[in-house]
């Protein structure tokens, strides 16, 4: 449906490096800046109107151009970016020289082809500095965690880069009960506003997954999967749900708006029961794509915990 690869980055801190409670935005900003400095050929101040917009690897990965015509699933001017940053665990922290900094980036669809460029951008971003005080680090290696063991993608000792291996989820019958454990804030929205724990429901969750995966597959993958959205919505409404979700806020600095922005979302567990077979592929793939708004920062990340 949508090729994906989760790359685990292992870096050694060289100068004190501080990151906020949720570091997804800080990491993304540093990555985007480095990627643009490497890949932009025109050096225009903005991508809008650039003649290379549709082919520039920076724009393809970081500022994906919207469709030329109106889209049935996406009314706004943006389409999902083909990557997801998964930062270190929640909690502000300062890393000291010599300590290890680890985080991941999930590449989706054709972004996997840009792995060498993306890893070079991460090398440059870490060397230039990240977070308050621009703490620096050196990228040592990049790996994939696969069922057969760790697959090396990059090694700084010799500068070698290997192509990531395609990842997939086990083909197995879905359980009767599964829990989605959200480890980063989930932002499901209605009319531009994030929904509270009392207002979210399983139908919005499953449709959010289906829309995001469909758009990613259409613009960055093998093509739109042709989901029957009314049927998906109708089936989702038959599932029994139990939620133990709580709101958590975090603050990010917007470089474009030059101001701090407070965002929040739901964390905790969301249990679904019933005939999960029709939505099981969506639930599995959602562990790579995440779900909801600001997924590119790593929001809406979860792991499936099947019932014993």
């Amino acid at each position: 449906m949508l090729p994906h690869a989760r790359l685990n980055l292992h870096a050694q801190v060289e100068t004190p490096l501080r990151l906020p409670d949720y570091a997804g935005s800080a990491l993304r900003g540093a990555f985007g800046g480095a990627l643009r400095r490497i890949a932009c050929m025109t050096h225009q101040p903005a991508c809008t109107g650039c003649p290379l917009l549709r082919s520039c690897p920076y724009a393809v990965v970081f500022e994906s151009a919207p469709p030329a015509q109106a889209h049935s699933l996406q009314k706004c001017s943006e389409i999902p970016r083909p990557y997801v940053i998964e930062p270190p665990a929640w909690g502000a922290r300062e890393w000291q020289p010599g300590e290890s900094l680890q985080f991941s980036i999930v590449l989706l669809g054709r972004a996997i082809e840009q792995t060498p460029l993306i890893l070079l951008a991460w090398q440059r971003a870490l060397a230039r500095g990240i977070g308050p005080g621009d703490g620096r680090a050196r990228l040592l290696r990049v790996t994939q965690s696969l069922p057969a063991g760790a697959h090396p993608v990059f090694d700084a000792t010799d500068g070698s880069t290997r192509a990531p291996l395609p990842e997939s989820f086990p083909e197995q019958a879905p359980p009767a009960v599964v829990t989605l454990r959200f480890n980063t804030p989930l932002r499901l929205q209605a009319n531009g506003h994030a929904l509270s724990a009392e207002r979210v429901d399983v139908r919005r969750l499953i449709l959010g997954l289906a829309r995001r995966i469909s758009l990613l597959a259409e613009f960055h993958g093998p093509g739109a999967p042709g989901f029957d959205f009314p049927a998906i919505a109708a089936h989702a409404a038959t599932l029994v749900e139990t939620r133990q979700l709580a709101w958590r806020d975090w603050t990010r600095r917007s470089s474009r708006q030059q101001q701090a922005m407070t965002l929040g979302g739901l964390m905790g567990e969301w249990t679904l029961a019933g005939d999960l077979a029709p939505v099981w592929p969506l639930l599995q793939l959602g562990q790579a794509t995440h779900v909801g708004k600001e997924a590119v920062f790593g929001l809406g990340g979860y792991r499936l915990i099947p019932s014993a």
Side-chain angles (χ1 to χ4, degrees):
M1 187 188 304
L2 179 67
H4 65 278
R6 176 177 281 108
L7 307 185
N8 305 311
L9 283 73
H10 308 260
Q12 185 177 62
V13 173
E14 296 185 328
T15 64
L17 190 154
R18 291 183 290 127
L19 291 175
D21 281 333
Y22 188 75
S25 177
L27 289 170
R28 180 177 181 263
F31 166 63
L35 186 63
R36 197 176 202 282
R37 286 188 291 272
I38 294 170
C40 177
M41 297 182 65
T42 63
H43 303 292
Q44 293 185 185
C47 293
T48 304
C50 176
L52 304 181
L53 181 63
R54 302 284 173 177
S55 59
C56 171
Y58 167 77
V60 169
V61 173
F62 201 81
E63 293 199 30
S64 308
Q69 299 178 343
H71 196 282
S72 60
L73 296 181
Q74 193 78 347
K75 296 181 180 179
C76 63
S77 61
E78 296 186 346
I79 60 174
R81 307 316 195 222
Y83 68 93
V84 174
I85 291 176
E86 296 182 332
W90 191 282
R93 180 182 165 187
E94 179 171 317
W95 284 260
Q96 297 301 320
E99 292 187 320
S100 175
L101 171 67
Q102 299 182 28
F103 58 95
S104 301
I105 182 171
V106 183
L107 303 183
L108 304 166
R110 285 187 288 274
I112 298 172
E113 301 169 6
Q114 301 293 336
T115 294
L117 179 65
I118 287 170
L119 295 185
L120 177 60
W122 277 116
Q123 287 179 272
R124 299 277 180 88
L126 290 165
R128 186 182 180 94
I130 291 177
D134 292 327
R136 299 190 301 276
R138 178 171 181 260
L139 185 62
L140 299 180
R141 64 187 185 279
V142 178
T143 62
Q144 285 179 276
S145 299
L146 302 175
H151 170 66
V153 176
F154 169 78
D155 190 332
T157 57
D158 58 8
S160 61
T161 301
R162 299 183 183 181
L165 296 178
E167 298 187 32
S168 61
F169 295 99
E171 293 186 8
Q172 60 186 29
V177 180
V178 69
T179 296
L180 287 69
R181 179 171 292 166
F182 283 91
N183 46 49
T184 61
L186 166 68
R187 290 177 64 86
L188 293 177
Q189 295 195 163
N191 300 319
H193 298 284
L195 299 175
S196 65
E198 294 73 29
R199 295 188 61 199
V200 294
D201 58 63
V202 65
R203 179 180 174 276
R204 292 184 189 273
L205 172 68
I206 300 299
L207 280 178
L209 274 171
R211 289 194 184 100
R212 176 164 168 75
I213 290 170
S214 181
L215 287 166
L216 285 166
E218 178 179 355
F219 291 104
H220 304 293
F227 291 148
D228 184 338
F229 287 94
I232 291 173
H235 186 78
T238 70
L239 301 177
V240 178
E241 59 177 315
T242 305
R243 302 189 299 269
Q244 296 86 37
L245 300 169
W247 188 267
R248 175 172 282 184
D249 276 323
W250 67 287
T251 301
R252 62 175 286 254
R253 176 75 180 177
S254 172
S255 58
R256 290 186 178 181
Q257 300 184 34
Q258 292 298 308
Q259 63 180 0
M261 302 175 62
T262 298
L263 298 175
L266 301 170
M267 295 181 68
E269 296 187 347
W270 196 335
T271 300
L272 308 178
D275 179 12
L276 295 173
V279 298
W280 187 241
L282 296 175
L283 291 171
Q284 285 191 304
L285 186 54
Q287 295 174 99
T289 64
H290 294 211
V291 61
K293 293 289 291 182
E294 314 297 0
V296 72
F297 295 142
L299 298 194
Y302 66 87
R303 291 292 177 266
L304 294 176
I305 306 172
S307 176

